[in-house]
């Protein structure tokens, strides 16, 4: 997921999941889209099944060390930074309590 520039303003979010061109006005809509519209992700560190996108990133970095992520995903420091930036941007912009409430109402969590 990433914030993209539209007309010089940083106001639209892109889904960021490979093969998806979804764009959204706010981070909440992007996270809900990723959770509802995409397959679940199996964590390569512990095997936990989580929603793809933001929730997968959050799981990886809240539940595991950066070193575990790098080893399990054959990632490098650039991949870690990109995902940390996405996590930080979503958490700075989104009302995640509202997202979780919406997803629970939809039966997606």
């Amino acid at each position: 997921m990433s914030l993209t520039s539209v007309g010089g303003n940083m106001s639209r979010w892109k889904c960021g999941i490979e093969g998806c061109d979804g764009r959204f006005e706010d981070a909440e809509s992007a996270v809900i889209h990723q959770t509802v519209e995409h397959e679940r992700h199996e964590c390569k560190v512990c095997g936990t099944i989580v929603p793809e996108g933001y929730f997968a990133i959050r799981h990886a970095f809240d539940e595991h060390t950066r070193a575990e992520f790098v080893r399990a995903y054959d990632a490098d420091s650039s991949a870690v930074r990109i995902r940390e930036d996405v996590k930080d941007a979503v958490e700075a912009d989104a009302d995640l309590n509202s997202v979780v409430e919406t997803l629970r109402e939809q039966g997606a969590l």
Side-chain angles (χ1 to χ4, degrees):
M1 182 167 8
S2 63
L3 195 59
T4 58
S5 178
V6 175
N9 296 326
M10 297 297 278
S11 63
R12 290 181 56 98
W13 288 83
K14 183 177 183 306
C15 174
I17 294 175
E18 189 174 331
C20 183
D21 294 325
R23 293 185 184 273
F24 308 90
E25 289 299 322
D26 54 60
E28 292 90 351
S29 296
V31 172
I32 290 167
H33 159 82
Q34 289 178 332
T35 303
V36 174
E37 299 298 325
H38 291 284
E39 295 292 322
R40 300 293 180 168
H41 172 79
E42 181 177 352
C43 176
K44 291 183 180 180
V45 177
C46 68
T48 298
I49 305 297
V50 294
E52 184 63 271
Y54 166 75
F55 284 117
I57 293 169
R58 189 176 87 175
H59 168 82
F61 293 143
D62 287 358
E63 300 298 324
H64 307 295
T65 66
R66 302 310 187 255
E68 288 173 321
F69 176 83
V70 167
R71 282 191 302 271
Y73 289 90
D74 194 28
D76 59 18
S77 60
S78 175
V80 170
R81 277 192 301 278
I82 289 167
R83 285 160 180 81
E84 287 176 328
D85 289 347
V86 167
K87 182 177 180 290
D88 291 345
V90 169
E91 291 172 355
D93 194 61
D95 177 351
L96 292 171
N97 289 328
S98 172
V99 168
V100 169
E101 184 177 318
T102 298
L103 291 169
R104 285 190 175 136
E105 288 171 1
Q106 293 179 6
L109 286 183

